[in-house]
């Protein structure tokens, strides 16, 4: 198929679009194409996820069952584990995980596996796009040779581009469609086809000069975040020593209409992206004999925050003449951030692990997780009731889900360590009535 025909098929929505990896990134993207009338094939190695999709049951917090039903019923959407469907596609978008390996090095094995499947099923006239976050050079150095090993040539027989996913799970305003999308092709022809493809579903598509530039854009964004989170975490520890309230300081600093952007402290820095992606960049930098000092420093500052949270908790308990090993602690919110059903790199897990090592009587509550079986932790969710809250020596808020009744918590908990600054949005935490009851980081 000529490039002209491929573009025409995409513009007329006759193109078949496939998404490999139907997770937090891939599923919403597949739904966006389905909503616009494309024939969509979703491919995942996880049989359970495919079965759930067939039953229109969502496993992603940002996608409700109702949305899944209304988007997919009556539309042309197929969910399958069978990679041979790649042959039928015009566009193949890869959204597989990019975690860290044992030595905190990039683990691109999922990308390699997915691109091997594309290679085995590639045909002339397809566009392949990688969306997984990765180090600059992956598309050119890893995907291109594998796909060209078929004898097909990029820019002539098939098209290859990188487009970073920028989804922010739990964000009510910015979704796949209204978040501007960066694209960079291996060749100018690939950039042009990728632009036409994403123009169909995304409000604003921004081409850059290469796939590597597009890969770097994403890593700059996430490095910016890890560094700023680390900065505010460090200032938080300092403010504590100076007897200052970091939340008041941030609120005041953000009144400046330019030159400042607020970031907030927390019990650590979690999620699949922020603590992980910048390490892909520092790994690549090392290959070039370059040290990414900011990334390394930011990672180590953020890694101190779970222990800092425990230190603060110990001080609270000391006021009750208690020690950790005799204390009953309720950890509230175990997801890595509010309103997501995602435990990846969650700082709450680190907090629980330290507490367990100190023999504290640990319990947790999180509306998303009835059980917590991870990293040697094996707990059943505790109730969020008056009696249970009253029985705890301290409640530590580690993820502030919006659905929780925080007034009920304030009314019934003995002492609360609020690492997310949620309670100050609800009550005057400095009021005489609440003195000593609500402690922030
Ligand atoms: N979650 C986020 O907030 C977010 C935001 C921006 C970018 N990203 C990036 O997007 C990528 C995907 O992240 P995610 O959060 O959607 O991951 P995820 O774990 O939620 O989903 C990945 C899916 O890929 C499937 N998979 C793995 N190998 C496969 C293969 N060979 N063939 C088919 N399916 C396969 C898994 O079964 C899983 O369902 C990562 O690189 C991540 O860094 C994630």
């Amino acid at each position: 198929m000529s490039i002209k025909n491929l573009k025409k098929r995409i513009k007329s929505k006759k193109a078949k679009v496939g998404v490999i990896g139907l997770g937090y990134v891939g599923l919403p993207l597949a739904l966006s194409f389905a909503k616009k009338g494309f024939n969509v094939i979703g491919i995942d190695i996880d049989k359970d996820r495919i079965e759930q999709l067939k039953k229109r049951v969502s496993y992603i917090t940002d996608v409700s069952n109702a949305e899944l039903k209304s988007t997919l019923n009556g539309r042309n959407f197929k969910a399958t584990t069978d990679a041979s469907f790649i042959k039928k596609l015009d566009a193949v978008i890869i959204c597989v995980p990019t975690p860290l390996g044992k030595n905190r090095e990039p683990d691109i094995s999922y990308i390699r596996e997915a691109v091997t499947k594309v290679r085995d099923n590639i045909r002339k006239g397809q566009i392949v796009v990688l969306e997984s976050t990765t180090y600059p050079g992956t598309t050119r150095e890893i995907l291109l040779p594998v796909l060209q090993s078929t004898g097909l040539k990029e820019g002539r027989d098939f098209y290859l581009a990188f487009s970073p996913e920028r989804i922010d799970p739990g964000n009510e305003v910015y979704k796949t469609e209204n978040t501007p999308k960066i694209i960079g092709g291996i060749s100018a022809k690939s950039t042009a086809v990728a632009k036409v493809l994403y123009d169909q579903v995304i409000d604003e598509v921004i081409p850059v000069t290469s796939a590597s530039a597009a890969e770097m854009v994403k890593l700059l964004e996430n490095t910016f975040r890890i560094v700023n989170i680390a900065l505010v975490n460090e200032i938080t520890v300092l403010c504590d020593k100076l007897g200052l309230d970091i939340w008041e300081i941030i609120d005041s600093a953000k009144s400046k209409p330019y030159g400042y952007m607020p970031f907030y402290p927390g019990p650590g820095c979690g999620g699949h992206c922020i603590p992980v992606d910048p390490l892909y960049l520092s790994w690549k930098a090392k290959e070039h004999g370059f040290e990414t000092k900011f990334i390394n420093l930011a990672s180590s500052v953020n890694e101190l925050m779970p222990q800092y949270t425990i230190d603060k908790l110990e001080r609270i308990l000391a006021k009750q003449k208690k020690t950790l090993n005799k204390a009953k602690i309720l950890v509230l919110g175990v997801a890595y951030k509010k309103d997501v059903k995602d435990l990846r790199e969650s700082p709450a897990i680190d907090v629980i692990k330290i507490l367990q090592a100190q023999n504290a009587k640990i319990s947790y509550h999180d509306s998303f997780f009835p059980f917590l079986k991870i990293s040697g932790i094996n707990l059943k969710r505790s109730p969020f009731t008056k009696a249970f809250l009253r029985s705890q020596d301290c409640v530590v808020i580690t993820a502030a889900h919006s659905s929780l009744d925080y007034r009920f918590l304030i009314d019934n908990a003995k002492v609360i360590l609020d690492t997310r600054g949620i309670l100050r949005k609800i009550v005057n935490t400095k009021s005489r009535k609440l003195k000593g009851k609500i402690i922030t980081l």
Side-chain angles (χ1 to χ4, degrees), residues 21 23-25 44 49 96 98 132-133 165 167 169 218 272 344:
Y24 290 86
V25 166
D44 203 293
R49 287 193 158 181
V96 295
T98 42
S132 306
T133 307
E165 179 49 58
I167 201 159
K218 173 73 185 179
H272 180 42
R344 289 178 290 181

Side-chain angles (χ1 to χ4, degrees), residues 365-370 381 401 403-404:
H365 182 87
D366 188 310
S367 54
F368 292 113
F369 302 99
R381 180 169 62 203
H401 297 315
S403 56
L404 203 80

Side-chain angles (χ1 to χ4, degrees), residues 56-329:
R56 305 295 187 243
V57 174
S58 175
Y59 42 80
I60 304 284
T61 21
D62 275 2
V63 177
S64 67
N65 291 347
E67 188 190 349
L68 208 55
K69 270 190 198 124
S70 69
T71 308
L72 299 185
N73 289 355
R75 286 208 173 87
N76 232 332
F77 178 88
K78 182 176 176 61
T80 178
T81 54
D82 183 356
S84 70
F85 277 94
I86 292 171
K87 286 190 193 84
K88 295 186 184 292
L89 301 172
D90 297 289
V92 189
I93 305 176
I94 302 173
C95 304
V96 295
T98 42
L100 292 174
K102 275 195 192 123
N103 301 317
R104 304 203 49 86
E105 78 288 2
D107 171 5
I108 58 162
S109 58
Y110 296 93
I111 294 184
R112 285 187 193 275
E113 203 187 312
V115 76
T116 304
K117 286 179 181 162
V118 177
R119 179 201 64 195
D120 295 345
N121 294 285
I122 197 167
R123 60 161 178 78
K124 275 189 179 180
Q126 285 180 320
I127 173 156
V128 180
V129 185
L130 177 64
E131 290 215 6
S132 306
T133 307
T134 182
Y135 57 81
T138 308
T139 309
R140 177 171 286 281
E141 293 159 17
I142 308 288
L143 276 71
L144 182 65
V146 173
L147 298 179
Q148 291 204 141
S149 70
T150 54
L152 298 182
K153 193 170 168 4
E154 190 279 337
R156 183 189 70 195
D157 303 319
F158 71 94
Y159 307 95
L160 178 60
F162 182 83
S163 179
E165 179 49 58
R166 288 168 146 178
I167 201 159
D168 179 20
N171 193 320
E172 286 300 320
V173 180
Y174 290 105
K175 307 277 180 193
T176 304
E177 292 88 348
N178 63 350
T179 305
K181 194 124 178 74
I182 304 292
I183 49 155
I186 291 292
S187 59
K189 282 187 180 162
S190 291
T191 307
V193 180
K195 169 110 172 69
V196 172
L197 178 66
Y198 287 104
D199 270 345
Q200 310 310 310
V201 286
I202 312 276
D203 298 347
E204 190 186 354
V205 181
I206 304 163
V208 293
T209 53
S210 65
S212 300
E215 287 158 343
M216 190 67 188
V217 169
K218 173 73 185 179
L219 292 185
L220 171 63
E221 292 166 8
N222 283 1
T223 300
F224 172 82
R225 292 196 54 205
I226 196 177
V227 168
N228 280 286
I229 291 168
L231 175 67
V232 82
N233 277 336
E234 188 176 73
I235 301 289
T236 298
V237 178
L238 175 63
C239 278
D240 187 53
K241 289 188 188 301
L242 298 175
L244 295 169
D245 176 356
I246 184 66
W247 303 91
E248 180 192 1
I249 308 295
I250 297 170
D251 273 355
S252 309
K254 78 179 190 198
S255 65
K256 185 177 176 183
Y258 52 88
Y260 181 81
M261 184 185 278
F263 282 81
Y264 298 94
C269 179
H272 180 42
C273 295
I274 307 304
V276 173
D277 303 345
L279 299 185
Y280 270 62
L281 191 55
S282 52
W283 177 87
K284 187 70 180 171
K286 265 190 219 143
E287 242 187 33
H288 291 260
F290 186 86
E291 191 196 351
T292 52
K293 296 194 191 80
F294 274 101
I295 294 175
N296 305 347
L297 182 62
S299 298
S300 48
V301 169
N302 288 333
E303 279 162 18
L304 294 174
M305 293 312 284
Q307 184 57 52
Y308 171 72
T309 304
I310 300 291
D311 294 346
K312 193 116 195 185
L313 178 59
E314 279 188 300
R315 279 188 266 154
I316 294 170
L317 292 172
K319 286 199 178 143
Q320 298 177 32
K321 306 225 176 321
K322 285 223 156 123
T323 50
L324 275 178
N325 62 348
K326 297 218 168 60
K328 291 184 191 155
I329 311 292

